[in-house]
Amino acid sequence: VTGITVAVVGLNFGRLWLPIYLAHPDVRTVVICDPDPAALSAVGDQYGIERRLTSLDEVLAADDVDAVHLLTPLDLHAPQSLSVLASGKHCAVAVTAALDMASLWDIVRAQRESGKNYMMMETGGYSRAALHIKRMVDEGRFGEITFGRGAHHQDVGGLSSLWTGIPPLWYSSHALAPLLTILGTSVSSVRALGSGRLPVEKRGRWGNAFPVETAIYDLVDSPVALEITRSTHQTVSGQGEWFSVYSDRHGFDWGRAWGEEGQLFHSRDAGDGTIRSEPFHPSDTTSELPEQLRERLGPQAVDALFEPGAHLVDEFVRSIVEGRPSGIDAVVAANWTAAGIAGHESALAGGAVVAIPDFGREA
Ligand SMILES: NC(=O)c1ccc[n+]([C@@H]2O[C@H](COP(=O)([O-])OP(=O)(O)OC[C@H]3O[C@@H](n4cnc5c(N)ncnc54)[C@H](O)[C@@H]3O)[C@@H](O)[C@H]2O)c1
C-alpha cells in the first residue's frame, strides 16, 4: 500500500479540501478532526470517512497519521503548527501562519529541527490569473516588471468575534502572495498607514483602530515597489482579492469583483502605436495536476472545488512524497506573514519604515 495518511483538522473551511485529499493519488487515508460532534458526523457521513477524532492531541498520538492540515480558528494556527511539527508529522496550515513575529521564528526553527514539511496554504499565488501571469514572466514574455499592486477587501463583520477589529494587514497575504510569487522574491521592509477609524466597541480583543491599512513594500534584490491595501470593516466596495502588475511590455489588471474579467494591456511598441487592451482569459491550469486527481474530480468539479486548493494539496502531498521542501515552506510563509505584522507596526508608528527579518538566516 502506498500513499500518505492526512488528517484534516477543522471542518468548516476544511470541508472544501476533503474531496481534493480523497481524490489525490498519493493519499492513502484521510482522517477528520473537529471538537464539534455535529460537524464531525455530518462531514464524515457525507464523504464516507471512518476515522473521526475530536481533538488535535488524538491526531498527534495516531502513529499512522503522516501529515496534518490545520483549518482551525486563526489564533490557534501557530501553537497547533508547533505541536504538529514537534510530534514528527508534516504540517499544512491555513493562512495566517501566526499573529506575531516570535511565533514565526519558532515555526521556522521547529520546521528545521523536525526535518518535516511545512506549508502555508495561501491560495493567492495559485489562482489561474497568478499562474498565467507568472508563466508569462518566467518565459520572458512580460518584460521587465516596474510596479505591482494588490488588494483584499473583505468585510469580516459576519465572521466570529475573533475577527472583530483584527489589524487589516495581519491577514493580507492573499493580496501580497500573487505578486511575490510572480516576481520570485520576498519583502524586505514596509511603510504603512492606517485609514479610517473604528469605534471603540468594534476594536475587539486586538484594540486596533484601523478598518483599512495600506502599505508600500521594498523587495529583496528587486527595484520594484509593491502597494497593498487591506480592508476589514466599514469599507463598502467590491469584495475580494485582486492584483495588478505592470512592465515595459504589458500590464495586467484583475477585475474589481469576484468573477469579473481582468484586462491585459499591450505596449504601444507591440502594434499600431497605441496601448491596446483586451479581456484577460487565463489558461486552464488543471492540466498541471496529476491525471488521477483531475479524472476523479473532473474539470468542472476542480473549478467548483476550489482550483487553487487542488494545486496547494498537490504541492503539499507531492513535496512530502518526493522528500523536498514545499512551495510555501516555513521561511516563505514567515516572510509573507511578517509583511503584514510589520505593516501594522508601521501603521501604528505613523508610517515609519519597519524592516522585515530574513527568516532564511539561522534562527
Ligand atoms: N482563502 C483562504 O485561504 C481562506 C478562506 C477561508 C478561511 N481561511 C482560514 O481558514 C481557517 C478556518 O476558517 P473557518 O472559516 O473554517 O473558521 P471557523 O472558525 O468557521 O471554523 C473553524 C473550525 O475549527 C474547529 N475547531 C475549533 N477549535 C478547534 C481545535 N482546537 N481543534 C480542532 N478543530 C477546532 C471548529 O469547530 C470549526 O469547525 C481560518 O483561520 C481562516 O483564516 C482561509
Side-chain angles (χ1 to χ4, degrees):
V1 194
T2 58
I4 62 171
T5 295
V6 180
V8 174
V9 180
L11 297 176
N12 188 18
F13 185 45
R15 69 186 72 191
L16 260 174
W17 299 72
L18 284 173
I20 305 171
Y21 281 110
L22 288 166
H24 199 285
D26 292 318
V27 175
R28 184 176 64 228
T29 314
V30 178
V31 176
I32 51 175
C33 168
D34 200 295
D36 174 0
L40 204 55
S41 60
V43 174
D45 291 351
Q46 181 181 353
Y47 292 105
I49 297 170
E50 306 282 322
R51 295 273 301 282
R52 307 172 187 185
L53 304 174
T54 53
S55 77
L56 181 62
D57 286 344
E58 287 172 71
V59 173
L60 301 186
D63 286 338
D64 63 320
V65 172
D66 302 293
V68 178
H69 184 166
L70 299 166
L71 299 116
T72 52
L74 210 56
D75 54 340
L76 300 180
H77 294 180
Q80 288 184 334
S81 300
L82 292 170
S83 304
V84 172
L85 291 169
S87 77
K89 300 187 190 303
H90 305 285
C91 180
V93 62
V95 291
T96 69
L99 301 174
D100 63 275
M101 289 286 187
S103 296
L104 293 175
W105 283 111
D106 290 344
I107 290 165
V108 167
R109 213 175 292 121
Q111 192 269 317
R112 194 173 49 230
E113 282 165 10
S114 71
K116 294 291 164 182
N117 281 21
Y118 173 93
M119 182 158 168
M120 184 172 81
M121 303 300 257
E122 169 52 61
T123 42
Y126 286 89
S127 69
R128 278 192 184 190
L131 291 169
H132 187 109
I133 301 287
K134 181 170 169 48
R135 182 175 303 163
M136 285 181 75
V137 171
D138 290 350
E139 291 173 355
R141 290 188 286 138
F142 212 83
E144 191 169 327
I145 293 175
T146 50
F147 184 59
R149 172 183 284 148
H152 179 194
H153 295 283
Q154 178 197 18
D155 190 323
V156 300
L159 304 178
S160 81
S161 63
L162 194 59
W163 293 85
T164 306
I166 189 157
L169 283 172
W170 281 8
Y171 198 102
S172 59
S173 59
H174 291 338
L176 186 62
L179 294 162
L180 291 179
T181 304
I182 288 164
L183 282 152
T185 185
S186 48
V187 290
S188 56
S189 72
V190 60
R191 280 150 258 222
L193 293 179
S195 185
R197 193 168 176 81
L198 281 172
V200 172
E201 67 275 11
K202 277 208 188 156
R203 294 180 189 177
R205 70 153 97 162
W206 315 107
N208 160 55
F210 302 131
V212 185
E213 286 175 331
T214 189
I216 298 173
Y217 289 96
D218 273 320
L219 306 179
V220 174
D221 295 332
S222 164
V224 176
L226 300 181
E227 184 193 293
I228 300 293
T229 300
R230 172 72 165 107
S231 72
T232 50
H233 297 83
Q234 296 175 190
T235 307
V236 179
S237 69
Q239 299 288 289
E241 309 146 23
W242 47 76
F243 69 92
S244 296
V245 60
Y246 309 99
S247 74
D248 57 341
R249 282 199 223 164
H250 291 287
F252 167 68
D253 278 333
W254 186 291
R256 282 295 178 267
W258 283 122
E260 218 175 79
E261 202 166 60
Q263 293 285 314
L264 187 66
F265 299 89
H266 302 267
S267 139
R268 68 172 88 245
D269 303 330
D272 60 5
T274 60
I275 292 180
R276 275 186 311 113
S277 84
E278 62 175 337
F280 176 68
H281 298 296
S283 32
D284 177 354
T285 55
T286 56
S287 59
E288 290 162 20
L289 296 168
E291 204 175 316
Q292 207 176 332
L293 177 61
R294 230 171 45 238
E295 268 171 19
R296 286 201 211 160
L297 293 172
Q300 281 186 335
V302 171
D303 204 27
L305 284 168
F306 208 30
E307 198 170 304
H311 285 288
L312 286 163
V313 165
D314 184 47
E315 172 60 17
F316 178 54
V317 170
R318 284 213 280 189
S319 71
I320 294 169
V321 172
E322 293 167 11
R324 57 169 175 84
S326 77
I328 311 175
D329 68 9
V331 169
V332 175
N335 182 263
W336 295 2
T337 307
I341 295 169
H344 179 58
E345 215 177 295
S346 171
L348 288 175
V353 178
V354 177
I356 291 150
D358 173 5
F359 291 94
R361 72 182 158 79
E362 287 293 297

